[in-house]
């Protein structure tokens, strides 16, 4: 059995997955009848199998004898639920000998972007309008989960309301940021004039999974950076 994608590949919505199944019987033959050869698809999320019948060959297929045939099947990814699928071949000959030993083909369908569940700042839930001065670092941590594949990258887009420009910072993957949680991506943002200009910043989370499903729906967060002391313009005494 062959697919138009590599075995164990992760795919997303759109298009078709094509299968070619070579079947031969050296003694009798596999009859060209619908349902004699089937492909069984089992989703790891619910462990239930459904069968699909491939196209019946119209002539002698590739092989060493006239008893060899190539069966073809195209299945639309839109008809499948997310999950990891194993594919088993069922082949029956004219005397009802059934072979279902070939089940080493697999692929994963993921159509849902990663889910952002928490955004933390200095280990507390990030709220709007929090104020920060120069010096030290601001720990930004994002909890990301993907129920089918995995998060591949997480960025934070920071937009200064003063100049309405956005710049991105890349968060370190779990295991590389010093935090124990296996779902947390984090970075230390330097609170300095070299990194930030004074003003209010809005934050948007951009996260991608391994098949480029992107989530950028979390963007209602903000903080204020102020590194400049108040300016004294007048000192009056007795109104003079």
């Amino acid at each position: 059995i062959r697919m138009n994608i590599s075995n164990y590949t992760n795919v997303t919505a759109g298009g078709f997955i094509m299968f070619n199944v070579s079947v031969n019987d050296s003694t009798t033959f596999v009859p060209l009848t619908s349902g004699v050869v089937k492909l069984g698809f089992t989703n790891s999320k619910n462990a239930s199998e459904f069968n699909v019948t491939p196209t019946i060959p119209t002539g002698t297929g590739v092989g060493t004898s006239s008893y060899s045939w190539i069966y073809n099947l195209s299945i639309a990814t839109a008809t499948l639920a997310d999950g990891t699928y194993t594919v088993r071949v069922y082949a029956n000959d004219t005397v009802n000998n059934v072979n279902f030993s070939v089940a080493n083909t697999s692929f994963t369908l993921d159509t849902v972007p990663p889910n952002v569940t928490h955004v933390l700042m200095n280990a507390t839930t990030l709220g709007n309008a929090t104020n920060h001065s120069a010096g030290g670092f601001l720990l930004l941590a994002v909890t990301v989960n993907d129920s089918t594949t995995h998060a591949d990258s997480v960025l934070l887009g920071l937009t200064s309301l003063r100049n309405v420009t956005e710049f991105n910072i890349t968060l370190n993957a779990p295991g590389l940021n010093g935090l124990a949680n296996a779902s947390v991506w984090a970075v230390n943002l330097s609170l300095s004039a070299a990194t930030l200009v004074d003003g209010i910043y809005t934050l948007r989370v951009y996260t991608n999974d391994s098949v480029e499903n992107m989530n950028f729906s979390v963007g209602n967060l903000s903080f204020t950076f102020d590194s400049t002391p108040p300016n004294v313009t007048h000192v009056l005494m007795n109104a003079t």
Side-chain angles (χ1 to χ4, degrees), residues 95-110:
V95 290
N96 290 324
N97 295 310
V98 180
N99 183 348
F100 52 90
S101 63
V102 177
N104 58 352
T105 302
S106 177
F107 65 92
T108 297
L109 176 67
D110 184 3

Side-chain angles (χ1 to χ4, degrees), residues 13-159:
F16 295 81
I17 301 176
M18 293 179 286
F19 299 86
N20 302 125
V21 182
S22 178
V23 180
N24 64 80
D25 193 302
S26 61
T27 305
T28 57
F29 63 92
V30 177
L32 296 181
T33 305
S34 179
V36 169
V37 173
K38 297 179 181 179
L39 296 183
F41 292 82
T42 301
N43 188 327
S44 61
K45 287 191 174 183
N46 54 28
S48 62
E49 182 184 75
F50 65 92
N51 294 326
V52 181
T53 301
T55 302
I56 300 173
T58 57
T60 301
V62 177
T64 58
S65 73
S66 60
Y67 305 126
S68 181
W69 307 91
I70 301 294
Y71 288 77
N72 298 307
L73 173 68
S74 292
I75 188 165
T77 56
T79 64
L80 301 175
D82 282 12
T84 298
Y85 289 85
T86 55
V87 184
R88 183 180 297 275
V89 179
Y90 296 88
N92 202 350
D93 63 17
T94 55
V95 290
N96 290 324
N97 295 310
V98 180
N99 183 348
F100 52 90
S101 63
V102 177
N104 58 352
T105 302
S106 177
F107 65 92
T108 297
L109 176 67
D110 184 3
T111 64
V112 180
N115 185 35
V116 177
T117 56
H118 292 92
V119 180
L120 304 177
M121 181 170 61
N122 286 349
T124 61
T125 301
L126 179 60
N128 288 326
T130 50
N131 300 324
H132 302 273
S133 185
F137 294 90
L138 182 63
L139 173 63
L140 298 171
V142 179
T143 302
V144 179
N145 296 282
D146 193 298
S147 61
T148 304
T149 56
H150 61 272
D152 197 53
S153 65
V154 179
L155 303 177
L156 279 178
L158 277 70
T159 300

